[in-house]
Amino acid sequence: MSTVGAIVLPQLPPERLLDAARAADEAGLDELWLWEDCFWTSGLSAAAAILGATTRVRVGVGLLPVPLRNVALTAMEIATLERMFPGRAIIGVGHGVQSWMGQVGERVASPLTLLREYTTALRALLRGDRLTVTGRYVKLDDVALDWAPVDTSVHVGASGPKTLRLAGEVGEGTLLTAATSPAELTTLKARIDEGHAAAGRTGALPVVVNVLAATGPDALDRVTRELHRFGDSPDAPVTDLAVTGDAGEVAAGLRRWFDAGATTVLLQPALDEPDPVGFLRFAAREVAPLLR
């Protein structure tokens, strides 16, 4: 089944977050995703508050920058959420923005090595394993969770070819950023599948992709400005990187990402979205039913 979710950007003040989440929950949104961007809001504390204030929406954090967080602490936090709100939390991990990691003194020499060690250990702890690990970055001495979750999964955020392969090797799903065209998604998914096969793993992995979206009379102008914030000039046409228009037009555009291999598409608002709560309702009530 194609899953349509939406993103609440960290630029939304924390005091407005619960009202937005309740509106998304009441509107029937399947998944509401948060970012842990420096230095805006904490992903896990915000997720916990939303889960406690809603009844059905699944809450994703995409993603937790692993240099910032000890792996045992992250496992404890994820396990707590899963035990309290079974099946409703989706957690992604990744490198984090390297300049931000440098600002807080946590930039590492080999982000790929850290992500491999971290994701492998995190998944094992969440399975209930007892670990002693002496890696380059991850070091654990006889560590196990007393309250391991019944079931959980760890997604890996990826963009470069090596990280994409790693996501296929050690992740239980992959998160892809906005400004990924459907054609590029096909190529990226092939990298993920290569890593998946090389690790001897079977079964399809979820692929979650953010897609910039806007509705209203100035929608195209707003997504165009947003895409230029990602870089000097997008290589692909705007229509290959974003969706705009009414619900029918947005749904038709999103089908291209599903056809290219996405299992979940998250509508990402522009920074100048005039009505963040209305955007969530639009995604839930008008767009998602057209794709179910």
Side-chain angles (χ1 to χ4, degrees):
M1 185 180 85
S2 302
T3 299
V4 176
I7 295 167
V8 174
L9 296 177
Q11 285 79 6
L12 186 73
E15 59 270 23
R16 296 180 57 192
L17 188 55
L18 292 187
D19 286 341
R22 291 187 187 104
D25 196 47
E26 291 165 4
L29 189 69
D30 289 328
E31 295 184 5
L32 180 66
W33 282 70
L34 311 168
W35 295 350
E36 187 166 83
D37 275 4
C38 297
F39 300 96
W40 297 95
T41 52
S42 161
L44 288 176
S45 59
I50 290 172
L51 288 165
T54 56
T55 59
R56 52 162 304 282
V57 68
R58 300 182 74 201
V59 180
V61 181
L63 45 76
L64 300 176
V66 299
L68 284 178
R69 293 178 169 274
N70 180 277
V71 69
L73 177 60
T74 299
M76 291 161 58
E77 291 180 316
I78 294 172
T80 301
L81 289 181
E82 180 60 29
R83 299 281 296 220
M84 295 176 72
F85 308 101
R88 291 185 57 205
I90 315 163
I91 306 299
V93 298
H95 299 308
V97 176
Q98 294 304 291
S99 60
W100 292 340
M101 300 304 100
Q103 280 183 268
V104 297
E106 297 295 342
R107 187 166 184 167
V108 299
S110 178
L112 198 69
T113 301
L114 170 58
L115 188 58
R116 179 184 295 277
E117 292 180 359
Y118 194 104
T119 307
T120 302
L122 180 60
R123 289 184 59 203
L125 289 169
L126 292 172
R127 287 195 303 266
D129 295 352
R130 182 171 295 277
L131 295 186
T132 295
V133 176
T134 306
R136 181 174 178 182
Y137 299 109
V138 174
K139 302 182 190 300
L140 299 170
D141 182 9
D142 194 32
V143 175
L145 296 179
D146 288 297
W147 293 106
V150 175
D151 185 30
T152 190
S153 63
V154 177
H155 287 46
V156 173
S159 57
K162 292 181 180 179
T163 309
L164 288 161
R165 282 183 58 91
L166 178 64
E169 289 179 45
V170 302
E172 293 162 295
T174 306
L175 307 176
L176 301 176
T177 63
T180 300
S181 70
E184 186 181 11
L185 173 57
T186 301
T187 302
L188 300 185
K189 189 174 183 303
R191 300 270 189 182
I192 298 165
D193 291 343
E194 287 173 9
H196 196 57
R201 304 173 68 191
T202 58
L205 287 177
V207 176
V208 181
V209 60
N210 300 348
V211 176
L212 189 63
T215 188
D218 61 344
L220 184 59
D221 289 341
R222 286 194 286 115
V223 298
T224 301
R225 287 196 299 271
E226 190 75 359
L227 287 167
H228 281 280
R229 290 191 185 106
F230 297 160
D232 293 334
S233 179
D235 293 329
V238 171
T239 52
D240 282 346
L241 300 175
V243 289
T244 60
D246 61 22
E249 292 169 319
V250 169
L254 293 182
R255 287 192 184 94
R256 300 174 62 202
W257 278 268
F258 286 119
D259 291 344
T263 55
T264 297
V265 171
L266 306 176
L267 295 182
Q268 177 180 322
L271 280 174
D272 59 0
E273 168 58 49
D275 184 6
V277 174
F279 181 85
L280 299 177
R281 292 194 178 107
F282 171 72
R285 292 177 177 167
E286 299 184 47
V287 177
L290 300 177
L291 290 160
R292 291 194 179 110

